[in-house]
Amino acid sequence: VVDAFLDEVRGRLGPQGVVTDPDVLRTHSVDWTGRWAGRTPAVLRPAGTAEVAEVVRSARRHAVALVPQGGRTGLVGGSVPLRGEVLVDLRRLDRLDPVDAAAGQVTVGAGVTLQRLQDHVAAAGWAFGVDIGARGTATLGGMVATNAGGNHVVRYGSMRHQVLGLEAVLGTGEVLAANLAGLVKDNTGFDLAGLLCGSEGTLGIVTAARLALVAPVAEAATALVGYRTIGDAVAAAATLRRAPDLHALELVLGPGLDLVAAHQQAPVPLAPTPPAALLVEVASSRAGSDLAAQLAAAVAGGPEPAGAAVATTAPDRARLWGWREAHPEVAAGLGIVHKADVTLPAAATARFLDEVPALVERCAPGATTLLYGHLGDGNLHVNVVGPDPDDDGPIDAVLDLVLALDGSVSAEHGIGTAKVAWLERQRGAVAVSAMAAVRRALDPDGVLNPAVLTPRT
Ligand SMILES: Cc1cc2nc3c(=O)[nH]c(=O)nc-3n(C[C@H](O)[C@H](O)[C@H](O)COP(=O)(O)OP(=O)(O)OC[C@H]3O[C@@H](n4cnc5c(N)ncnc54)[C@H](O)[C@@H]3O)c2cc1C
């Protein structure tokens, strides 16, 4: 069946559109974490929307399942062929239109990396509101599909808030063009572009997006502020959320800072290493706002800090950001990482941070637990290294605690294949069956990402 499908696709896309070289297949079958790996008979490389539509229609005819793939930086096992699916690599869809300066918008192909988009819009005097550590590899298609969040959600919201319009090939093989003109107001029925944000490749393959841009930062001040207790850092975050021009509010803990220091062979900029620290950034599109003073005043309104390192130039700010952004890479360097990416209600955050290390230690004695995250959004990342790759015990215990505290088992990474068992407990049976019904309507034969979100049998 697959051979007939691949022959048909080769006939439409040409030989360069169907790759079966075993080395390429192996590379594309494992994700950034190394935890999720599968097997695939082929990687398809369509060059445009029409070719993506040909692939999906052909897959329906031959009953072949597909996994759309961008940069493979997704962290929940959604982008690799765990059931032997054929991969659709979208990176040749790399259209990058000129910035529409009148609207403050741009249209991009799904395969464009975030870094390329950022550079492109910066050259035209604009900025993009979402930034994530995987910017050099993650694609806009993957970021739409996972509704990526990242460092500046406190200021601009997640991908969903930047997406004005979308082009996608639905599971039916039809091409959906939803508000590609980028109208800011369009109340003509369902928000279909919004529906595809966070759909994790289960409803359609995103081929292009119309994105809103924001004013570039003219001046910024960033500080790494230490606190004597985790409770103090969480209390400080509550105060800092109200700071004018807040641009980022991130949490790191002492053990994570020490690991990053060993990795970077550089001393932690706060000595001695504090139990907890906030990376706080304020930024303005107006120059001359004396943001460092503004930041100091905002910090002074909370619990007394245990030291602070402040940066106002771009290279110094990037160095401070490194203390936060190196965390996923440092964890990955320790071994296979078991990840939870959760949101807690503000009132439960300190308790969660206090309880998790002991909880993990009970499930997996000797494991290393790293806690960090986008505290401004109540979003914490739990990284556990030590347990066997298939041992879900520690993360299951963490997610049980999250549900008991009325949080969410996935803040920004999505459900993928990794968190499927948790979806109904999180959202309830009615919501899950509504999602499955939408999925059946837009992908009647179940060709798109069958193992993801609400698995198809
Ligand atoms: C170092 C690092 C830091 C990160 N930081 C953040 C962060 O701060 N915030 C955050 O939210 N996430 C973060 N992530 C995870 C995040 O989900 C991804 O980086 C990004 O959104 C995925 O883009 P990708 O192109 O790599 O997609 P992939 O990993 O290739 O795919 C992800 C999912 O989207 C689907 N998909 C991919 N392309 C398409 C398409 N064109 N149409 C439909 N479906 C598609 C796939 O099938 C899969 O289910 C981080 C990851 C890493 C490795």
Side-chain angles (χ1 to χ4, degrees), residues 245-451:
D245 295 322
L246 184 67
H247 199 235
L249 182 49
E250 303 279 314
L251 174 80
V252 290
L253 300 186
L257 286 171
D258 284 338
L259 280 170
V260 175
H263 175 76
Q264 296 184 344
Q265 299 188 333
V268 175
L270 307 169
T273 306
L278 295 179
L279 187 128
V280 196
E281 184 164 87
V282 290
S284 170
S285 53
R286 259 185 348 266
S289 326
D290 197 3
L291 290 174
Q294 201 170 300
L295 182 53
V299 170
E304 195 192 336
V310 183
T312 51
T313 66
D316 288 348
R317 287 174 45 232
R319 261 191 293 281
L320 275 191
W321 266 104
W323 291 95
R324 159 64 180 88
E325 288 207 311
H327 274 68
E329 199 185 315
V330 164
L334 299 175
I336 292 285
V337 186
H338 299 258
K339 285 179 179 283
D341 154 47
V342 304
T343 316
L344 276 309
T349 305
R351 178 177 157 196
F352 179 82
L353 287 164
D354 274 338
E355 286 187 15
V356 162
L359 184 63
V360 172
E361 180 62 24
R362 279 200 297 280
C363 300
T368 302
T369 303
L370 274 182
L371 289 161
Y372 58 93
H374 312 291
L375 185 58
D377 321 317
N379 176 186
L380 298 172
H381 298 311
V382 183
N383 284 209
V384 178
V385 188
D388 289 342
D390 293 331
D391 180 2
D392 293 328
I395 292 299
D396 286 354
V398 169
L399 298 183
D400 274 331
L401 177 62
V402 168
L403 289 180
L405 295 173
D406 288 332
S408 168
V409 298
S410 179
E412 57 177 15
H413 295 165
I415 291 294
T417 54
K419 301 290 185 283
V420 161
W422 293 88
L423 186 62
E424 191 162 322
R425 283 184 65 191
Q426 177 76 46
R427 299 290 297 271
V430 174
V432 172
S433 100
M435 286 191 232
V438 173
R439 194 168 179 182
R440 278 193 301 276
L442 300 189
D443 180 15
D445 297 326
V447 294
L448 296 180
N449 264 355

Side-chain angles (χ1 to χ4, degrees), residues 32 67-75 78-79 90 110 131-134 137-151 200-202 204-207 324-325 328-329 374 381 412-413 416 449 452:
W32 185 89
V67 169
Q69 194 175 78
R72 274 182 286 118
T73 65
L75 299 173
S79 62
L90 278 315
D131 188 29
I132 62 175
T137 315
T139 64
L140 269 305
M143 291 176 64
V144 170
T146 58
N147 184 30
N151 300 337
E200 301 191 43
T202 62
I205 299 183
V206 176
T207 50
R324 159 64 180 88
E325 288 207 311
E329 199 185 315
H374 312 291
H381 298 311
E412 57 177 15
H413 295 165
N449 264 355
V452 167

Side-chain angles (χ1 to χ4, degrees), residues 226-239 251 276 278 302-306 350 375:
Y227 289 95
R228 290 193 176 81
T229 65
I230 290 176
D232 275 0
V234 172
T239 311
L251 174 80
L278 295 179
E304 195 192 336
L375 185 58

